[in-house]
Amino acid sequence: MHHLLQVWFEWVLTGGYVGIIVLMAMGSTPLPVPAEVVVPPAAFLAAQGRLSFTGVILASTLGAYLGAAAMYWISRWIGRPLVLRFGRLLLFPPKKLEEAEHWLARYEAGGIFFARLLPGIRHLISIPAGIVRMNFATFSYMTLIGSAISCSILAFLGERAHRLEPQLLSNPEALMHFIRGQSYWILAVVILFAGLYMLALRLMKPQG
């Protein structure tokens, strides 16, 4: 894993916006490309004047959407039986698929939005969305909004890391550790709002 992190890191440093788009697209699939090793180092480059901060957010959001859209259509095309049969190869066993389908059935568009903000979920949520044939326009809108917020947060944390510990640019694992340590409070806020959203849906559900 250390070697892969180093490879992805170098792609960001040498590939510019194209590298960001490609890596973020890969990160929206089951491939092991965490956004934390793509957006923050790109924000480092923006802080150094080598990239635009806005450009980093736009490129990472576009890449995340393209990867998510590709997974949506692939899953919609191959269908549930094949995902159930071969999902384990993508670290997506039947139980996880059923949980994701239940999540989408219950929370619909909001489920996509909040999933894009949560590490460990964002790269898989497109698969059940394609299988259940969720409206693609709704899927796209929620994916873009959620991805834009997530990428903006990571870019902000990357810029903060540049100010506090600029030497982290040479150590991808240490940078990921720093970003995750700084993002706990943000994750807590996301979980809080997700909980409020779920509660609101339950309260608005017709009784009987």
Side-chain angles (χ1 to χ4, degrees), residues 89-112:
L89 300 177
L90 301 175
L91 303 178
F92 202 59
K95 182 179 179 182
K96 189 174 289 188
L97 173 61
E98 291 170 4
E99 291 174 350
E101 287 176 327
H102 178 71
W103 170 272
L104 282 180
R106 190 167 186 177
Y107 304 117
E108 300 177 345
I112 293 292

Side-chain angles (χ1 to χ4, degrees), residues 75-76 78-85 94 97-98 101 131:
S75 301
R76 182 165 176 164
I78 66 176
R80 193 174 192 275
L82 284 179
V83 173
L84 283 173
R85 184 173 181 180
L97 173 61
E98 291 170 4
E101 287 176 327
I131 290 175

